Amino acid sequence: DGGITQSPKYLFRKEGQNVTLSCEQNLNHDAMYWYRQDPGQGLRLIYYSQIVNDFQKGDIAEGYSVSREKKESFPLTVTSAQKNPTAFYLCASSIVGLAGGPYNEQFFGPGTRLTVL
Amino acid sequence: AQSVTQLDSQVPVFEEAPVELRCNYSSSVSVYLFWYVQYPNQGLQLLLKYLSGSTLVKGINGFEAEFNKSQTSFHLRKPSVHISDTAEYFCAVSDRYYGGSQGNLIFGKGTKLSVKP
């Protein structure tokens, strides 16, 4: 079955530690995204990548880093510089096409809940 | 800049009653519109999307939405809800013209639908 997997489902971090959240997709999608979700805030874009070895900052990139070495994988590192990292993190992917095409439907993974102790 | 406003943060309703979840957007260009559903501690699942054509869009689980360009609205409706419809619902918009960050989805803050027996 094609889809997006995120691991782990729950993650606990001590203050001052970096942690990496995994996101893998087998949908053959070019674009991948990371969102942060807080209660009552909706989804806020952290980083996105439209092609391997390239990625762009979203609205709240400070304190986060990403890499895109393979088409299938887009790991997110939450660094110690992120002041309030406790949140639900969602990874998504979509195809990329020509302008005007219906290419913005994003498919989401099940999420990782990060808690800072 | 684009924005999405979901007018109600919480909507309580009794089982078998009709429901409407409201969504308004602002954009200077033509758009695609989406509704997603999120069950507790899960990722987002696409309910329906408006890309072009008929302004009345039917989705999964008996939901439908109507695109109203003059009122810049995309309200979600269901004629008779079930307990299993209890979830959070997100409206999202993206530019029709894809390029750089223009194709990214902008999400509303969500509406929690609570269906009571």
Side-chain angles (χ1 to χ4, degrees):
Chain A
D1 287 339
I4 301 177
T5 57
Q6 291 185 243
S7 61
K9 187 169 178 64
Y10 298 96
L11 185 58
F12 298 91
R13 188 194 95 171
K14 293 182 180 179
E15 284 193 26
Q17 283 183 335
N18 293 353
V19 290
T20 297
L21 283 60
S22 170
C23 177
E24 303 276 334
Q25 54 99 0
N26 61 5
L27 299 169
N28 200 33
H29 287 169
D30 288 305
M32 296 187 74
Y33 312 81
W34 273 107
Y35 293 93
R36 170 179 172 141
Q37 185 178 19
D38 297 282
Q41 297 291 319
L43 276 69
R44 293 183 289 170
L45 184 64
I46 304 173
Y47 270 97
Y48 64 99
S49 167
Q50 296 176 358
I51 194 169
V52 173
N53 292 323
D54 186 53
F55 47 83
Q56 306 296 327
K57 291 181 178 180
D59 300 319
I60 56 164
E62 185 176 352
Y64 300 97
S65 65
V66 293
S67 63
R68 187 87 188 275
E69 297 177 0
K70 298 187 299 182
K71 187 176 183 178
E72 304 80 22
S73 179
F74 191 41
L76 173 75
T77 296
V78 184
T79 75
S80 56
Q82 170 49 237
K83 298 304 180 190
N84 184 22
T86 294
F88 191 53
Y89 291 87
L90 288 161
C91 179
S93 70
S94 71
I95 65 174
V96 174
L98 298 174
Y103 300 116
N104 306 105
E105 176 184 345
Q106 293 181 14
F107 295 80
F108 284 81
T112 292
R113 186 166 296 281
L114 173 64
T115 302
V116 173
L117 302 173
Chain B
Q2 293 173 325
S3 67
V4 177
T5 301
Q6 291 186 241
L7 296 158
D8 305 296
S9 60
Q10 297 189 55
V11 173
V13 64
F14 287 106
E15 194 173 20
E16 298 183 6
V19 71
E20 179 180 81
L21 307 184
R22 297 180 292 169
C23 173
N24 286 89
Y25 69 93
S26 66
S27 176
S28 58
V29 299
S30 296
V31 297
Y32 298 127
L33 294 157
F34 304 83
W35 275 100
Y36 284 86
V37 61
Q38 185 181 35
Y39 299 101
N41 289 313
Q42 294 186 26
L44 274 67
Q45 179 184 4
L46 183 70
L47 269 180
L48 48 79
K49 59 188 176 187
Y50 171 77
L51 304 179
S52 65
S54 173
T55 56
L56 183 62
V57 180
K58 293 189 183 298
I60 62 172
N61 300 342
F63 284 93
E64 63 181 32
E66 186 157 18
F67 170 55
N68 188 319
K69 187 174 182 180
S70 63
Q71 296 187 7
T72 60
S73 68
F74 191 54
H75 300 332
L76 181 70
R77 291 190 277 262
K78 187 170 183 178
S80 176
V81 294
H82 303 289
I83 298 287
S84 59
D85 292 322
T86 295
E88 190 160 17
Y89 293 79
F90 292 93
C91 181
V93 63
S94 75
D95 280 342
R96 182 175 291 273
Y97 305 103
Y98 192 90
S101 65
Q102 293 172 354
N104 288 345
L105 288 178
I106 306 299
F107 286 87
K109 294 190 175 182
T111 297
K112 290 187 177 179
L113 176 63
S114 176
V115 181
K116 304 177 185 302

Coordinates of all heavy atoms in Angstrom, one line a residue, chain A residues 9-10 31 33 35 37 40-43 45 48 50 88 90 96-111 113, chain B residues 32 34 36 38 41-46 49 51 88 90 94-110 112:
Chain A
K9 N 5.7 7.5 16.9 CA 4.4 8.1 17.1 C 4.5 9.1 18.3 O 3.8 10.1 18.3 CB 3.4 7.0 17.3 CG 2.0 7.6 17.4 CD 1.0 6.4 17.3 CE -0.5 7.0 17.4 NZ -0.8 7.8 16.3
Y10 N 5.2 8.7 19.3 CA 5.4 9.5 20.5 C 6.9 9.7 20.7 O 7.6 8.7 20.6 CB 4.7 8.9 21.7 CG 3.2 8.8 21.6 CD1 2.7 7.6 21.2 CD2 2.4 9.9 21.8 CE1 1.3 7.4 21.1 CE2 1.0 9.7 21.7 CZ 0.5 8.5 21.3 OH -0.9 8.4 21.2
A31 N 7.2 16.5 -3.9 CA 7.2 17.5 -2.9 C 6.9 16.9 -1.5 O 6.0 16.0 -1.4 CB 6.1 18.6 -3.2
Y33 N 6.5 18.1 2.9 CA 6.2 19.2 3.8 C 6.3 18.8 5.3 O 5.9 17.6 5.6 CB 4.8 19.8 3.5 CG 4.5 20.0 2.1 CD1 4.1 19.0 1.2 CD2 4.6 21.3 1.6 CE1 3.8 19.2 -0.1 CE2 4.2 21.5 0.2 CZ 3.8 20.5 -0.6 OH 3.5 20.7 -1.9
Y35 N 4.7 20.2 9.0 CA 3.8 21.1 9.6 C 3.9 20.9 11.2 O 4.1 19.8 11.6 CB 2.4 20.9 9.2 CG 2.0 21.2 7.8 CD1 2.1 20.3 6.8 CD2 1.6 22.5 7.5 CE1 1.8 20.5 5.5 CE2 1.3 22.8 6.1 CZ 1.4 21.8 5.2 OH 1.1 22.1 3.9
Q37 N 1.4 21.4 14.5 CA 0.1 21.7 14.9 C 0.0 21.9 16.4 O 0.4 21.0 17.2 CB -0.8 20.5 14.5 CG -2.3 20.7 14.8 CD -3.2 19.6 14.3 OE1 -2.7 18.5 14.1 NE2 -4.5 19.9 14.2
G40 N -5.8 24.8 18.6 CA -6.4 26.1 18.2 C -5.6 26.9 17.2 O -6.0 28.0 16.9
Q41 N -4.5 26.4 16.7 CA -3.6 27.1 15.8 C -3.7 26.6 14.4 O -3.1 27.2 13.5 CB -2.2 27.0 16.3 CG -2.0 27.7 17.7 CD -2.1 29.2 17.6 OE1 -1.6 29.8 16.7 NE2 -2.8 29.7 18.6
G42 N -4.3 25.5 14.1 CA -4.3 25.0 12.8 C -2.9 24.4 12.5 O -2.2 24.0 13.4
L43 N -2.6 24.3 11.2 CA -1.3 23.8 10.8 C -0.4 24.9 10.3 O -0.8 25.8 9.5 CB -1.5 22.8 9.6 CG -1.9 21.4 10.0 CD1 -3.3 21.3 10.6 CD2 -1.7 20.5 8.8
L45 N 3.3 25.8 8.5 CA 4.4 25.2 7.7 C 5.8 25.5 8.3 O 6.1 26.6 8.5 CB 4.2 25.7 6.3 CG 5.2 25.1 5.2 CD1 4.9 23.6 5.1 CD2 5.0 25.9 3.9
Y48 N 9.5 23.0 3.5 CA 9.0 22.2 2.4 C 10.1 22.0 1.4 O 11.1 22.7 1.3 CB 7.8 22.8 1.7 CG 8.0 24.1 1.1 CD1 8.2 24.2 -0.3 CD2 8.0 25.3 1.8 CE1 8.3 25.4 -0.9 CE2 8.2 26.5 1.2 CZ 8.3 26.6 -0.2 OH 8.5 27.8 -0.8
Q50 N 10.6 20.7 -2.8 CA 9.9 20.3 -4.1 C 10.8 19.4 -4.9 O 10.3 18.8 -5.9 CB 9.6 21.6 -4.9 CG 8.6 22.5 -4.1 CD 8.3 23.8 -4.9 OE1 9.0 24.0 -5.9 NE2 7.5 24.6 -4.4
F88 N 2.4 18.6 18.0 CA 2.1 17.5 17.1 C 2.7 17.8 15.7 O 2.4 18.9 15.2 CB 0.6 17.2 17.0 CG 0.1 16.0 16.4 CD1 0.6 14.7 16.8 CD2 -0.8 16.0 15.3 CE1 0.2 13.6 16.2 CE2 -1.2 14.8 14.7 CZ -0.7 13.6 15.2
L90 N 3.3 17.0 11.7 CA 2.7 16.3 10.6 C 3.6 16.4 9.4 O 4.0 17.5 9.0 CB 1.3 16.8 10.3 CG 0.2 16.4 11.3 CD1 -1.0 17.3 11.2 CD2 -0.2 14.9 11.1
V96 N 4.3 17.4 -8.0 CA 4.6 18.7 -8.5 C 4.4 18.7 -10.0 O 4.9 17.8 -10.7 CB 6.0 19.1 -8.2 CG1 6.4 20.4 -8.8 CG2 6.2 19.2 -6.7
G97 N 3.7 19.7 -10.5 CA 3.4 19.7 -11.9 C 3.4 21.0 -12.5 O 4.0 22.0 -12.0
L98 N 2.8 21.1 -13.7 CA 2.8 22.4 -14.4 C 1.8 23.4 -13.8 O 0.9 23.0 -13.1 CB 2.4 22.2 -15.9 CG 3.4 21.3 -16.7 CD1 2.8 21.1 -18.1 CD2 4.7 22.0 -16.8
A99 N 2.1 24.7 -14.0 CA 1.2 25.7 -13.4 C -0.3 25.4 -13.9 O -0.5 25.1 -15.0 CB 1.6 27.1 -13.8
G100 N -1.2 25.6 -13.0 CA -2.6 25.5 -13.3 C -3.1 24.1 -13.1 O -4.3 23.9 -13.2
G101 N -2.3 23.2 -12.8 CA -2.7 21.8 -12.6 C -3.2 21.6 -11.1 O -2.8 22.3 -10.2
P102 N -4.0 20.5 -10.9 CA -4.5 20.2 -9.6 C -3.5 19.5 -8.8 O -3.7 18.3 -8.4 CB -5.7 19.4 -9.9 CG -5.4 18.6 -11.1 CD -4.5 19.6 -11.9
Y103 N -2.4 20.1 -8.5 CA -1.3 19.4 -7.9 C -1.0 19.8 -6.4 O 0.0 19.5 -5.9 CB 0.0 19.7 -8.7 CG -0.2 19.3 -10.1 CD1 -0.1 20.2 -11.2 CD2 -0.4 18.0 -10.5 CE1 -0.3 19.9 -12.5 CE2 -0.5 17.6 -11.8 CZ -0.5 18.5 -12.8 OH -0.6 18.1 -14.1
N104 N -2.0 20.4 -5.8 CA -1.8 20.8 -4.4 C -2.4 20.0 -3.4 O -2.3 20.3 -2.2 CB -2.3 22.3 -4.3 CG -1.7 23.2 -5.3 OD1 -2.3 23.5 -6.3 ND2 -0.4 23.4 -5.2
E105 N -3.1 18.9 -3.8 CA -3.6 18.0 -2.8 C -2.5 17.3 -2.1 O -1.6 16.7 -2.7 CB -4.5 16.9 -3.4 CG -5.0 15.9 -2.5 CD -5.8 14.8 -3.2 OE1 -6.2 15.0 -4.3 OE2 -6.1 13.8 -2.5
Q106 N -2.5 17.5 -0.8 CA -1.4 16.9 0.0 C -1.9 15.7 0.8 O -3.0 15.7 1.3 CB -0.8 17.9 1.0 CG -0.1 19.1 0.3 CD 0.5 20.1 1.2 OE1 0.6 19.9 2.4 NE2 0.9 21.2 0.6
F107 N -1.0 14.7 0.9 CA -1.3 13.5 1.6 C -0.5 13.5 2.9 O 0.7 13.7 2.9 CB -1.0 12.2 0.7 CG -1.8 12.1 -0.5 CD1 -1.5 12.9 -1.6 CD2 -2.8 11.3 -0.6 CE1 -2.2 12.8 -2.8 CE2 -3.6 11.2 -1.7 CZ -3.3 11.9 -2.8
F108 N -1.2 13.1 4.0 CA -0.6 13.3 5.3 C -0.2 12.0 5.9 O -0.9 11.0 5.8 CB -1.5 14.1 6.2 CG -1.6 15.5 6.0 CD1 -2.4 16.0 4.9 CD2 -0.8 16.4 6.7 CE1 -2.4 17.4 4.7 CE2 -0.8 17.8 6.4 CZ -1.6 18.3 5.4
G109 N 0.9 12.0 6.7 CA 1.2 10.9 7.6 C 0.4 10.9 8.9 O -0.3 11.9 9.1
P110 N 0.6 9.9 9.7 CA -0.1 9.9 11.0 C 0.3 10.8 12.1 O -0.4 10.9 13.1 CB 0.0 8.4 11.4 CG 1.3 8.0 10.8 CD 1.5 8.8 9.5
G111 N 1.5 11.4 11.9 CA 1.9 12.4 12.9 C 2.8 11.8 14.0 O 2.9 10.6 14.3
R113 N 3.9 13.0 18.0 CA 3.7 13.9 19.1 C 4.9 14.0 19.9 O 5.4 13.0 20.5 CB 2.5 13.4 20.0 CG 2.1 14.4 21.1 CD 0.8 14.1 21.7 NE -0.3 14.2 20.8 CZ -0.9 15.3 20.4 NH1 -0.4 16.5 20.8 NH2 -1.9 15.3 19.6
Chain B
Y32 N -7.6 26.9 -5.5 CA -8.1 25.6 -5.2 C -8.5 25.6 -3.8 O -7.9 26.2 -2.9 CB -7.0 24.5 -5.5 CG -6.5 24.4 -6.9 CD1 -5.1 24.5 -7.1 CD2 -7.3 24.3 -7.9 CE1 -4.6 24.3 -8.3 CE2 -6.8 24.1 -9.2 CZ -5.4 24.2 -9.4 OH -4.9 24.1 -10.7
F34 N -9.9 23.1 -0.4 CA -9.9 21.8 0.2 C -10.6 21.8 1.6 O -10.5 22.7 2.3 CB -8.5 21.2 0.4 CG -7.7 21.3 -0.9 CD1 -7.0 22.4 -1.3 CD2 -7.5 20.2 -1.7 CE1 -6.3 22.5 -2.5 CE2 -6.7 20.2 -2.8 CZ -6.1 21.4 -3.2
Y36 N -10.3 19.1 4.9 CA -9.6 17.9 5.5 C -10.3 17.6 6.8 O -10.8 18.5 7.5 CB -8.1 18.1 5.7 CG -7.3 18.1 4.5 CD1 -7.1 19.2 3.7 CD2 -6.6 16.9 4.1 CE1 -6.2 19.2 2.6 CE2 -5.7 16.9 3.0 CZ -5.6 18.0 2.3 OH -4.7 18.0 1.2
Q38 N -9.6 15.5 10.6 CA -8.6 14.9 11.4 C -9.3 14.3 12.7 O -10.0 15.0 13.4 CB -7.6 16.0 11.9 CG -6.5 15.4 12.7 CD -5.5 16.4 13.2 OE1 -5.9 17.6 13.5 NE2 -4.2 16.1 13.3
N41 N -5.5 12.4 17.4 CA -4.1 11.8 17.3 C -3.8 11.1 16.0 O -3.1 10.1 15.9 CB -3.9 10.8 18.4 CG -3.8 11.5 19.8 OD1 -3.1 12.5 19.9 ND2 -4.5 11.1 20.8
Q42 N -4.4 11.6 14.9 CA -4.2 11.1 13.6 C -3.8 12.2 12.6 O -3.9 13.4 12.9 CB -5.4 10.3 13.0 CG -5.8 9.1 13.8 CD -6.9 8.3 13.2 OE1 -7.1 8.4 12.0 NE2 -7.6 7.5 14.0
G43 N -3.4 11.8 11.4 CA -3.1 12.8 10.4 C -4.4 13.3 9.8 O -5.5 13.0 10.2
L44 N -4.2 14.1 8.7 CA -5.4 14.7 8.0 C -5.7 13.8 6.8 O -4.9 13.3 6.1 CB -5.0 16.1 7.5 CG -5.2 17.2 8.5 CD1 -4.3 17.1 9.7 CD2 -5.1 18.6 7.8
Q45 N -7.0 13.7 6.6 CA -7.6 13.0 5.5 C -8.4 13.9 4.6 O -9.2 14.7 5.1 CB -8.4 11.8 6.0 CG -9.1 10.9 4.9 CD -10.0 9.9 5.5 OE1 -10.2 9.8 6.7 NE2 -10.5 9.0 4.7
L46 N -8.2 13.8 3.3 CA -9.0 14.7 2.4 C -10.4 14.3 2.3 O -10.8 13.2 2.1 CB -8.4 14.7 1.0 CG -9.0 15.6 0.0 CD1 -8.7 17.1 0.3 CD2 -8.5 15.3 -1.4
K49 N -12.5 18.4 -2.5 CA -11.7 19.5 -3.1 C -12.5 20.1 -4.2 O -13.2 19.5 -4.9 CB -10.3 19.0 -3.6 CG -10.4 17.9 -4.7 CD -9.1 17.3 -5.0 CE -9.2 16.1 -6.0 NZ -8.0 15.4 -6.2
L51 N -11.6 22.2 -7.6 CA -10.5 22.6 -8.5 C -11.0 23.5 -9.6 O -10.5 24.5 -10.0 CB -9.8 21.3 -9.1 CG -9.3 20.3 -8.1 CD1 -8.7 19.1 -8.8 CD2 -8.2 20.9 -7.2
E88 N -12.0 17.0 14.0 CA -11.7 18.4 13.7 C -11.6 18.5 12.2 O -11.0 17.6 11.5 CB -10.4 18.8 14.3 CG -10.1 20.3 14.2 CD -9.1 20.8 15.3 OE1 -8.4 20.0 15.9 OE2 -9.1 22.0 15.5
F90 N -10.6 20.9 8.8 CA -9.8 22.0 8.4 C -10.1 22.4 6.9 O -10.1 21.5 6.0 CB -8.3 21.7 8.5 CG -7.8 21.5 9.8 CD1 -7.8 20.3 10.5 CD2 -7.3 22.6 10.6 CE1 -7.3 20.1 11.8 CE2 -6.9 22.4 11.9 CZ -6.9 21.2 12.5
S94 N -5.1 27.0 -1.8 CA -3.8 27.3 -2.5 C -4.1 28.0 -3.8 O -5.2 28.0 -4.4 CB -3.1 26.0 -2.7 OG -3.7 25.3 -3.8
D95 N -3.0 28.7 -4.2 CA -3.1 29.4 -5.5 C -3.3 28.4 -6.6 O -2.7 27.3 -6.6 CB -1.8 30.2 -5.8 CG -1.8 31.5 -5.0 OD1 -2.8 32.0 -4.6 OD2 -0.7 32.0 -4.9
R96 N -4.0 28.8 -7.7 CA -4.2 28.0 -8.9 C -2.9 28.0 -9.7 O -2.6 27.0 -10.4 CB -5.4 28.6 -9.7 CG -5.7 27.8 -10.9 CD -6.9 28.3 -11.6 NE -8.1 28.0 -10.8 CZ -8.8 26.9 -10.9 NH1 -8.4 26.0 -11.7 NH2 -9.9 26.7 -10.1
Y97 N -2.1 29.0 -9.6 CA -0.9 29.1 -10.4 C 0.2 28.7 -9.6 O 0.7 29.4 -8.7 CB -0.8 30.6 -10.9 CG -2.0 31.0 -11.7 CD1 -2.9 31.8 -11.1 CD2 -2.3 30.5 -12.9 CE1 -4.1 32.2 -11.8 CE2 -3.5 30.8 -13.6 CZ -4.4 31.7 -13.0 OH -5.5 32.0 -13.7
Y98 N 0.8 27.6 -9.9 CA 1.8 26.9 -9.1 C 3.2 27.5 -9.4 O 3.6 27.6 -10.5 CB 1.8 25.4 -9.3 CG 2.6 24.7 -8.3 CD1 2.0 24.2 -7.1 CD2 4.0 24.4 -8.5 CE1 2.8 23.5 -6.2 CE2 4.7 23.7 -7.6 CZ 4.1 23.3 -6.4 OH 4.9 22.6 -5.5
G99 N 3.9 27.9 -8.4 CA 5.3 28.3 -8.7 C 5.9 28.8 -7.4 O 5.3 29.6 -6.6
G100 N 7.0 28.2 -7.0 CA 7.7 28.6 -5.7 C 6.7 28.2 -4.6 O 6.2 27.1 -4.5
S101 N 6.5 29.1 -3.7 CA 5.7 28.8 -2.5 C 4.2 29.1 -2.8 O 3.3 28.8 -2.0 CB 6.1 29.7 -1.4 OG 5.8 31.0 -1.7
Q102 N 3.9 29.5 -4.1 CA 2.5 29.9 -4.3 C 1.6 28.7 -4.3 O 0.4 28.8 -4.0 CB 2.4 30.5 -5.7 CG 3.1 31.8 -5.8 CD 3.2 32.4 -7.2 OE1 2.8 31.7 -8.2 NE2 3.7 33.5 -7.4
G103 N 2.1 27.5 -4.5 CA 1.2 26.3 -4.5 C 1.0 25.7 -3.1 O 0.3 24.8 -3.0
N104 N 1.6 26.3 -2.1 CA 1.5 25.7 -0.8 C 0.1 25.9 -0.2 O -0.6 26.9 -0.6 CB 2.5 26.3 0.2 CG 3.9 25.8 -0.1 OD1 4.1 24.9 -0.9 ND2 4.9 26.6 0.4
L105 N -0.3 25.0 0.6 CA -1.6 25.1 1.2 C -1.6 26.0 2.4 O -0.6 26.0 3.2 CB -2.1 23.7 1.7 CG -2.5 22.7 0.6 CD1 -2.9 21.4 1.3 CD2 -3.7 23.3 -0.2
I106 N -2.6 26.9 2.5 CA -2.8 27.7 3.7 C -4.0 27.1 4.4 O -5.1 27.0 3.8 CB -3.1 29.2 3.3 CG1 -1.9 29.7 2.4 CG2 -3.2 30.0 4.6 CD1 -0.6 29.7 3.1
F107 N -3.9 26.8 5.7 CA -4.9 26.2 6.5 C -5.6 27.1 7.4 O -5.0 28.1 7.9 CB -4.4 25.0 7.3 CG -4.0 23.8 6.6 CD1 -2.7 23.7 6.0 CD2 -4.9 22.8 6.4 CE1 -2.4 22.6 5.3 CE2 -4.5 21.6 5.7 CZ -3.3 21.5 5.1
G108 N -6.9 26.9 7.6 CA -7.6 27.6 8.7 C -7.3 27.0 10.0 O -6.6 26.0 10.0
K109 N -7.8 27.5 11.1 CA -7.4 27.0 12.4 C -8.3 25.9 12.9 O -8.0 25.3 14.0 CB -7.5 28.2 13.4 CG -6.5 29.3 13.2 CD -6.4 30.3 14.3 CE -5.3 31.3 14.0 NZ -5.1 32.3 15.1
G110 N -9.2 25.4 12.1 CA -9.9 24.2 12.4 C -11.2 24.5 13.1 O -11.4 25.5 13.8
K112 N -13.9 22.1 15.5 CA -14.1 20.9 16.1 C -15.6 20.6 16.1 O -16.4 21.3 16.7 CB -13.6 20.9 17.6 CG -12.1 20.9 17.7 CD -11.6 20.8 19.1 CE -10.1 20.7 19.1 NZ -9.6 20.6 20.5

